[in-house]
Amino acid sequence: MKKFLLAAAAVAMMAGPALAENYKFAVVPKAMNNPFFDVARDGCLKRAKELGNVECIYKGPIEHEPATEAQIIQDFITQKVDGLAISVADVASMTKSIEAATAAGIPVITFDADAPGSKRIAYIGTNNKDFGLALGKQLLQLRPEGGKYAMVSGGPGAKNLAERVDGVREALKGSKWVEVNGSPTFCNDDSTLAIQQMTDLRTATPDLAAIVPVGGWPMFAPEGFKAFVNKNKKDIDAGKFTLVVADTLKMQLELLRDGYSTALTGQRPFEMGEKSMDTLLAIKKGEKVPEVIYTGLDLVTKDNVAQLLK
């Protein structure tokens, strides 16, 4: 009997920690209809499978809706997930959501878009000021003679996008480039609206020399983007109109290869998804993690696009 009890106790000791080490981490994007976040999701799922004791739950608003994102996070708090990775659509509302999760004992990190004044433990993603600087420098290198330019942004409450806009302006400060009134426009991550805004900007300023979308939204609707480019192809071919676009998803690389863009500056969303799983797991194990983890940038032109498409 004594041997049986000892054996049972040993089994219980072995089983207990194994069960405790299985975690459910929720990844909440700004919008699930944005293919950028599909890549982050793929990175999250791949890394979770490799880790073995982690489940990646991917859920966010279908469209860019900060109020819906806040409700989804509240649902995850109620479900008592083991950790949250959030792409912050609106800093003010997400700061409250992050505080609620933290109060419930759920560790929170941000990815892609940050809320630095919140109780989040870490941010994983792009240095967005550097991202904007890179976009502006690409335009300046391609067209040093300058001209009128406009930017297309996503949500007005997204800190990461505001930093990119500031970076573009800083890169072009003191040059011959002049930003037009009404720039940036805000498409709320809607690809169709982004293309329409580009069309409206071109119509309002016929001598507009460049448009810089600080996210890949217009190219996420390839056929619509092609139609816009074809309509302006004469000026593009003559070097009178330039498109420098953010992000480097496969569809964007293919559009650049086929002559539908001049240059791209890309983030690394797959790595954001991977590192989100690693970071949340480290936090649950009681390990100290860096507050900021940058995933880097890729500068792409026709000269190196084939290499990135391999």
Side-chain angles (χ1 to χ4, degrees):
M1 183 67 179
K2 186 176 180 181
K3 288 183 179 179
F4 175 79
L5 290 173
L6 287 171
V11 169
M13 290 177 64
M14 292 172 63
L19 289 173
E21 291 176 0
N22 287 283
Y23 303 107
K24 291 185 177 181
F25 297 143
V27 174
V28 184
K30 290 181 188 176
M32 292 180 72
N33 66 351
N34 184 335
F36 176 90
F37 292 111
D38 290 348
V39 183
R41 174 203 63 202
D42 293 346
C44 163
L45 291 171
K46 175 180 176 290
R47 188 65 182 131
K49 186 176 180 180
E50 290 171 349
L51 291 168
N53 62 335
V54 168
E55 179 183 354
C56 169
I57 306 169
Y58 176 81
K59 184 180 180 181
I62 300 301
E63 299 179 345
H64 184 281
E65 296 175 340
T68 304
E69 185 177 36
Q71 183 56 58
I72 288 169
I73 291 168
Q74 183 56 53
D75 292 344
F76 279 131
I77 294 171
T78 302
Q79 294 168 28
K80 298 181 180 179
V81 295
D82 296 299
L84 280 161
I86 303 168
S87 177
V88 176
D90 180 85
V91 173
S93 64
M94 283 302 99
T95 296
K96 294 177 182 177
S97 296
I98 293 168
E99 184 173 352
T102 303
I106 299 172
V108 180
I109 64 173
T110 56
F111 76 101
D112 170 61
D114 194 17
S118 70
K119 292 185 177 181
R120 62 95 171 111
I121 297 170
Y123 162 70
I124 299 170
T126 304
N127 182 323
N128 285 287
K129 184 66 175 293
D130 286 351
F131 193 7
L133 285 167
L135 286 165
K137 288 175 181 178
Q138 273 188 317
L139 177 58
L140 193 57
Q141 184 176 4
L142 291 164
R143 298 282 301 280
E145 74 278 11
K148 298 175 182 178
Y149 80 96
M151 287 181 277
V152 175
S153 188
K159 180 176 173 58
N160 64 325
L161 302 179
E163 289 176 347
R164 295 178 201 176
V165 168
D166 289 344
V168 172
R169 287 172 176 161
E170 184 174 321
L172 298 177
K173 186 177 180 179
S175 73
K176 296 180 180 179
W177 283 101
V178 178
E179 187 176 1
V180 300
N181 291 331
S183 169
T185 61
F186 297 100
C187 71
N188 289 318
D189 291 16
D190 185 318
S191 296
T192 302
L193 181 57
I195 294 168
Q196 184 59 55
Q197 289 176 344
M198 290 171 67
T199 301
D200 293 344
L201 286 165
R202 192 85 164 115
T203 301
T205 309
D207 60 342
L208 191 67
I211 295 180
V212 183
V214 298
W217 315 287
M219 296 180 87
F220 296 163
E223 295 308 314
F225 186 76
K226 285 181 181 180
F228 172 82
V229 171
N230 287 332
K231 187 176 179 180
N232 295 278
K233 197 164 187 354
K234 183 178 178 181
D235 284 346
I236 291 173
D237 290 344
K240 295 180 180 179
F241 183 54
T242 302
L243 292 167
V244 175
V245 187
D247 296 326
T248 50
L249 272 60
K250 185 180 179 184
M251 67 184 74
Q252 294 180 272
L253 295 172
E254 291 171 346
L255 286 166
L256 173 59
R257 177 197 62 196
D258 297 339
Y260 288 96
S261 177
T262 314
L264 300 172
T265 297
Q267 306 176 81
R268 296 171 182 169
F270 192 88
E271 286 87 340
M272 294 181 198
E274 286 184 311
K275 291 182 183 299
S276 290
M277 295 298 96
D278 288 335
T279 303
L280 284 171
L281 182 58
I283 292 168
K284 294 300 290 186
K285 289 181 175 181
E287 299 172 9
K288 187 174 177 61
V289 299
E291 184 179 356
V292 176
I293 302 169
Y294 289 136
T295 48
L297 295 171
D298 294 305
L299 305 180
V300 189
T301 65
K302 289 182 180 180
D303 295 333
N304 64 340
V305 67
Q307 182 179 349
L308 271 78
L309 274 169
K310 287 182 180 179

